[in-house]
Amino acid sequence: MNNTTKRWVFDTTVWTSAVMMTFVLLIHDVAAESRFPPVANDKWQAECGSCHIAYPPQLLPAASWRRVMSELDKHFGADASLDAASAAGIGAFLESNAARGKRAAVDAGTLRITEAPWFRREHREVAAPVWKGASVKTPANCGACHTTAERGDFSERGVRIPR
Ligand code: HEC
Ligand code: HEC
């Protein structure tokens, strides 16, 4: 091989590897589905992120969000009522970005992310006492273990189980 051919072979190999690595990373992220596209809505962030993290819309199907939004005055023992315009705006945002596919497979009437079959599946390795530990208290406290939950990132690398 002359030098030009060697150079060509080298360049092609490097570029092909780079492109393939990119695909592998992309496929990995898509398959994990644990980092949600940074959909944003200021009202949602402010109103639904004051008592707990603003749970990403992709975690519950549209029918569940509709029900959550229609019962805000009796919200898991709290009163999370909103004026009608805010509720309608946030509701539309949640429903249009709601879970699809396997994350949408929940029983009718499900209000809790933590009761969805996918949630149980993804968390089956978490031992029962961990959920009740002093720094976790409730499975709804995503941020106790998912250090990047505030940004909608639930990927494995952000998980730290508190002891
Ligand atoms: C006044 C405080 C408060 C506000 C404001 C609030 N929530 Fe909640 N929310 C709670 C409490 C308390 C729970 C129960 C947490 C637990 O089980 O430990 C909860 C639980 C939830 C759950 C179920 C979590 C699970 O899977 O167990 C969802 C979904 C939810 N809230 C959505 C919302 C949305 C959407 C908004 C905005 C419209 C909102 N919340 C605003 C207090 C609030
Ligand atoms: C007690 C700690 C803990 C709490 C609280 C918790 N998780 Fe997790 N979560 C984990 C662990 C551990 C895994 C498995 C990590 C792995 O190996 O992929 C996980 C996995 C996940 C995954 C799949 C990640 C992936 O890359 O496959 C999602 C999505 C997720 N959790 C969302 C949530 C949400 C939403 C909440 C709150 C409603 C929550 N988790 C609360 C510990 C926790």
Side-chain angles (χ1 to χ4, degrees), residues 42-55 90 150:
D42 291 344
K43 264 241 132 75
W44 161 73
Q45 187 67 55
E47 303 291 355
C48 305
S50 56
C51 299
H52 43 67
I53 63 156
Y55 300 118
I90 293 171
E150 293 272 1

Side-chain angles (χ1 to χ4, degrees), residues 9-83:
V9 169
F10 178 78
D11 282 354
T12 314
T13 311
V14 168
W15 278 104
T16 311
S17 316
V19 168
M20 285 182 47
M21 275 309 293
T22 309
F23 272 111
V24 168
L25 290 172
L26 278 174
I27 288 166
H28 179 83
D29 275 347
V30 170
E33 285 179 51
S34 50
R35 276 194 293 155
F36 301 102
V39 288
N41 177 291
D42 291 344
K43 264 241 132 75
W44 161 73
Q45 187 67 55
E47 303 291 355
C48 305
S50 56
C51 299
H52 43 67
I53 63 156
Y55 300 118
Q58 298 92 334
L59 298 180
L60 276 179
S64 297
W65 285 127
R66 204 170 308 134
R67 189 146 171 230
V68 167
M69 294 306 293
S70 68
E71 298 173 356
L72 284 178
D73 55 331
K74 300 182 292 288
H75 184 74
F76 306 95
D79 183 356
S81 309
L82 289 171
D83 62 277

Side-chain angles (χ1 to χ4, degrees), residues 89-160:
I90 293 171
F93 163 76
L94 291 170
E95 288 187 39
S96 61
N97 294 290
R100 281 181 260 275
K102 65 176 170 131
R103 284 208 207 288
V106 301
D107 291 339
T110 299
L111 297 176
R112 285 189 182 268
I113 299 157
T114 52
E115 283 172 3
W118 72 260
F119 187 94
R120 292 168 190 261
R121 220 164 33 236
E122 307 269 25
H123 294 90
R124 70 191 146 208
E125 281 161 30
V126 179
V130 173
W131 294 117
K132 308 244 182 259
S135 47
V136 179
K137 293 192 190 80
T138 149
N141 187 10
C142 319
C145 306
H146 293 275
T147 59
T148 48
E150 293 272 1
R151 323 199 275 272
D153 182 353
F154 294 88
S155 57
E156 207 179 328
R157 74 201 110 176
V159 176
R160 305 276 177 285

